[in-house]
Amino acid sequence: MRQRINQIKKELHAQGYKLTPQREATLTVLLEREEDHLSAEEVFLLVKEKAPEIGLATVYRTLDLLTELGIVDKINFGDGVARYDLRKEGIDHFHHHLVCMECGSVEEIIEDLLVDVEKIVEEKWQFRVKDHRLTFHGVCKNCQEAALKSRKKVKID
Amino acid sequence: MRQRINQIKKELHAQGYKLTPQREATLTVLLEREEDHLSAEEVFLLVKEKAPEIGLATVYRTLDLLTELGIVDKINFGDGVARYDLRKEGIDHFHHHLVCMECGSVEEIIEDLLVDVEKIVEEKWQFRVKDHRLTFHGVCKNCQEAALKSRKKVKID
DNA sequence: TTTTAATTTGATAAAAATTCGCAAAAAAAT
DNA sequence: ATTTTTTTGCGAATTTTTATCAAATTAAAA
Ligand SMILES: [Zn+2]
Ligand SMILES: [Zn+2]
Ligand SMILES: [Zn+2]
Ligand SMILES: [Zn+2]
């Protein structure tokens, strides 16, 4: 984690920015909650626990900056808030998401399933692909099993 | 177009809703601007030209309703507004988008490029896919050509 | 056709999310 | 030590979306 922050510190310096305590606290939160998909407000509340004097605007600014530098990705799952997602280490594409319509859980697919599709898009549509967003909406494994169980239960009753 | 609206009218009635003049005006705008990706505000302004007495809230409600019924899809390209996209006739999946990072244009890919990918997701992740959102960010054909020309120009200068 | 009930609407207020403006603080450069 | 640049915190302002509610419209019942 220290290592990861240092790496980012370098990237910031390379672009003429500094790693202020506020930025470091924000990064720490993002790293600690890497599995989650936090909104700016949620990041703010978590950062406040470490650095109570921080302002919401600073969090927004930091998240913007990190997005600019490609350290985090901004994504919107359809509930009017932007969520921020740290890029996986050593992975250069934005990973995919599985959003469960029943329980709201968000699962991640790290491996790139779009390599072939992108090739087609580049060739057939003459579009130079730089980035992608792929989200599947459906029913997660848990909820499928739950539905199965409750259906059985109804049959017994 | 009349035909298309009548079809939707039936779908509305099937769910116990009526096709009010306001809803029809909204639908007409969506049909007339099928290529575009309008925000609620933009739809509102266009509908107002036909039905000046309509209120913004009604447009929001209508778009919500149409989304609910699967007649339009709601999507967010990352600029804080939701956009509404009429489903293509006879196509049961949400089409894909190519967003140009230079000029902001949005191109559509109607054919489903995700059939294989979805099969993998269903099998390997045990996730029942109901819907998807796929957006590529990159450089459109036009902007690629423009860049090429201006580069040549620089070389000559 | 009148009466009644249910749905839909427009206007406005309220809420939620994000950005802006600016003076103060911190850091870097001179 | 002084000046310049960057960053911050705060509150106000903006933008987008939702909620409220009485009035209007439409459908159903009598
Ligand atoms: Zn993610
Ligand atoms: Zn689930
Ligand atoms: Zn579209
Ligand atoms: Zn372009």
Side-chain angles (χ1 to χ4, degrees):
Chain A
M1 169 131 151
R2 259 275 45 86
Q3 196 183 346
R4 191 96 179 270
I5 290 184
N6 270 323
Q7 169 60 29
I8 293 169
K9 185 174 180 177
K10 267 186 227 157
E11 291 175 46
L12 282 169
H13 283 161
Q15 305 291 324
Y17 299 107
K18 28 199 157 177
L19 183 65
T20 62
Q22 290 89 339
R23 286 174 183 165
E24 183 162 348
T26 305
L27 267 172
T28 304
V29 163
L30 291 175
L31 280 160
E32 284 173 355
R33 305 286 296 258
E34 208 172 349
E35 309 297 302
D36 294 335
H37 298 85
L38 303 171
S39 67
E41 186 79 33
E42 286 166 346
V43 173
F44 173 61
L45 292 174
L46 289 166
V47 174
K48 251 187 146 173
E49 291 174 10
K50 295 180 202 303
E53 74 293 352
I54 202 171
L56 176 56
T58 300
V59 171
Y60 270 103
R61 284 183 293 232
T62 301
L63 292 171
D64 265 7
L65 178 62
L66 295 174
T67 303
E68 202 100 334
L69 298 187
I71 293 161
V72 312
D73 286 301
K74 195 175 173 179
I75 193 170
N76 192 306
F77 290 128
D79 59 342
V81 286
R83 301 186 171 278
Y84 297 86
D85 211 351
L86 208 52
R87 284 228 167 187
K88 305 305 171 192
E89 228 178 338
I91 304 288
D92 66 331
H93 78 104
F94 190 12
H95 57 262
H96 320 312
H97 291 101
L98 306 179
V99 178
C100 179
M101 293 156 73
E102 313 260 304
C103 68
S105 72
V106 179
E107 216 175 326
E108 306 193 322
I109 297 184
I110 309 301
E111 70 186 82
D112 192 350
L113 303 178
L114 289 176
V115 180
D116 294 342
V117 173
E118 285 186 358
K119 215 165 283 165
I120 294 172
V121 170
E122 296 246 358
E123 280 166 22
K124 193 157 166 189
W125 277 269
Q126 299 282 306
F127 185 87
R128 174 136 326 129
V129 176
K130 301 270 191 192
D131 193 14
H132 58 232
R133 300 279 118 123
L134 174 58
T135 305
F136 292 105
H137 300 241
V139 185
C140 77
K141 199 181 165 190
N142 266 351
C143 288
Q144 284 174 51
E145 284 165 2
L148 211 75
K149 250 182 239 159
S150 88
R151 219 171 308 139
K152 248 184 228 155
K153 200 162 167 288
V154 168
K155 221 182 257 173
I156 295 168
D157 287 357
Chain B
M1 170 132 152
R2 260 272 50 83
Q3 196 183 346
R4 193 96 179 269
I5 290 184
N6 270 324
Q7 168 60 30
I8 293 169
K9 186 174 180 177
K10 265 185 231 159
E11 290 176 45
L12 282 169
H13 282 159
Q15 305 292 324
Y17 300 108
K18 29 200 156 178
L19 183 64
T20 61
Q22 291 89 339
R23 286 175 183 165
E24 183 162 349
T26 305
L27 266 172
T28 304
V29 163
L30 290 175
L31 280 161
E32 283 173 356
R33 306 287 295 260
E34 209 173 349
E35 308 297 301
D36 294 334
H37 297 84
L38 303 171
S39 67
E41 186 81 32
E42 286 165 346
V43 172
F44 172 60
L45 292 174
L46 289 166
V47 174
K48 251 188 146 170
E49 292 175 10
K50 296 180 201 302
E53 73 293 352
I54 202 172
L56 176 58
T58 301
V59 171
Y60 269 103
R61 283 184 293 231
T62 301
L63 291 171
D64 266 7
L65 178 62
L66 296 174
T67 303
E68 203 100 334
L69 299 188
I71 293 161
V72 312
D73 285 302
K74 195 173 173 181
I75 194 172
N76 193 307
F77 290 128
D79 58 341
V81 286
R83 301 186 172 276
Y84 296 85
D85 211 351
L86 208 50
R87 283 229 168 186
K88 305 304 169 191
E89 229 178 335
I91 304 290
D92 66 330
H93 78 106
F94 190 11
H95 57 262
H96 319 313
H97 292 100
L98 306 178
V99 178
C100 180
M101 292 156 73
E102 313 259 304
C103 69
S105 72
V106 179
E107 216 175 326
E108 306 193 323
I109 296 183
I110 309 300
E111 69 187 86
D112 192 350
L113 303 177
L114 289 177
V115 180
D116 294 343
V117 173
E118 286 186 357
K119 214 165 284 167
I120 294 172
V121 171
E122 296 246 359
E123 280 167 21
K124 194 158 163 190
W125 277 268
Q126 299 281 307
F127 185 86
R128 173 136 325 129
V129 177
K130 300 271 190 191
D131 193 14
H132 58 233
R133 300 280 117 123
L134 174 58
T135 304
F136 292 105
H137 299 241
V139 186
C140 77
K141 201 182 165 188
N142 266 351
C143 288
Q144 283 175 51
E145 284 164 3
L148 212 74
K149 250 181 237 161
S150 89
R151 219 172 306 138
K152 250 186 225 153
K153 198 160 169 288
V154 168
K155 221 182 256 176
I156 295 169
D157 288 358

